[in-house]
Amino acid sequence: ITVVSGEKLDVIKAGGEDIRVLSARLPSLFIESSFGRTFPRFYIRGLGNTDFDLNASQPVSLVFDDVVQENALLKGFPMFDIEQVELLRGPQGTLYGHNAVGGALNLTTKVPTDDVAFSTRLVVGNFQTSRAEVSASGPLLRGRIMAGASAVRAVSDGSVQDLTHPDRPLGTTDG
């Protein structure tokens, strides 16, 4: 098991905005995608699946707040408001089901606190890239009920020119 949290996780996330920033920064983990941020494929110790079919079963599970993300569309989310990342190598079928024979990547979001907390972050880069993050947390009923909310907005004009569609550069994001 490899666990990353706190300042080390902040440093890793500074290198990019999506889940692919974890690739090669955690031992035995490789993440690739032929479609930019969307449809990432996970490999642990070389075990993975190169099938592009949305219904293809993957041998590495992605678990987000104890919920297995089985659909490939759900795996390409941007990483923000994450408290901890755990990489579990080897078969994890007992905890995460039959689609975890290679291992599991477990992401945990920040838990709401009893203290009022608010944070914002704005990142601006080349290729008309911008990213805004906002999160808030606090008590609804002090000592009993806490709530939190977070949102992210990322926009990029892309960095690769598609000659067949010059009006839409590859890598464009708006979401």
Side-chain angles (χ1 to χ4, degrees):
I1 296 175
T2 301
V3 178
V4 179
S5 60
E7 187 177 330
K8 186 172 183 180
L9 183 59
D10 291 339
V11 169
I12 289 172
K13 290 190 312 181
E17 62 184 40
D18 62 52
I19 197 158
R20 293 177 301 160
V21 300
L22 299 174
S23 183
R25 290 184 175 90
L26 299 175
S28 307
L29 177 66
F30 178 69
I31 304 171
E32 70 171 352
S33 177
S34 302
F35 305 105
R37 181 179 75 141
T38 58
F39 308 117
R41 293 181 302 278
F42 299 85
Y43 300 86
I44 297 177
R45 295 182 179 166
L47 289 173
N49 188 350
T50 59
D51 196 344
F52 293 102
D53 188 347
L54 290 176
N55 297 321
S57 178
Q58 300 297 322
V60 176
S61 280
L62 177 66
V63 182
F64 190 78
D65 283 339
D66 296 326
V67 177
V68 176
Q69 306 296 313
E70 199 49 46
N71 190 310
L73 293 170
L74 299 175
K75 296 179 180 183
F77 58 86
M79 283 191 47
F80 70 101
D81 208 28
I82 301 291
E83 179 75 29
Q84 177 173 293
V85 174
E86 298 172 356
L87 176 66
L88 303 123
R89 294 184 260 322
Q92 301 296 322
T94 302
L95 296 174
Y96 300 111
H98 74 283
N99 287 342
V101 294
L105 186 61
N106 190 6
L107 286 84
T108 307
T109 57
K110 294 180 181 173
V111 177
T113 62
D114 204 24
D115 299 320
V116 175
F118 184 76
S119 68
T120 60
R121 183 176 150 194
L122 178 64
V123 178
V124 179
N126 56 356
F127 302 109
Q128 297 182 357
T129 299
S130 64
R131 177 182 168 94
E133 299 176 3
V134 62
S135 64
S137 174
L140 296 178
L141 183 59
R142 187 157 297 279
R144 295 193 179 188
I145 302 174
M146 283 76 70
S150 58
V152 65
R153 169 85 170 154
V155 178
S156 177
D157 277 352
S159 57
V160 178
Q161 188 65 41
D162 183 355
L163 297 177
T164 58
H165 302 286
D167 56 323
R168 273 186 318 208
L170 297 174
T172 300
T173 59
D174 187 6

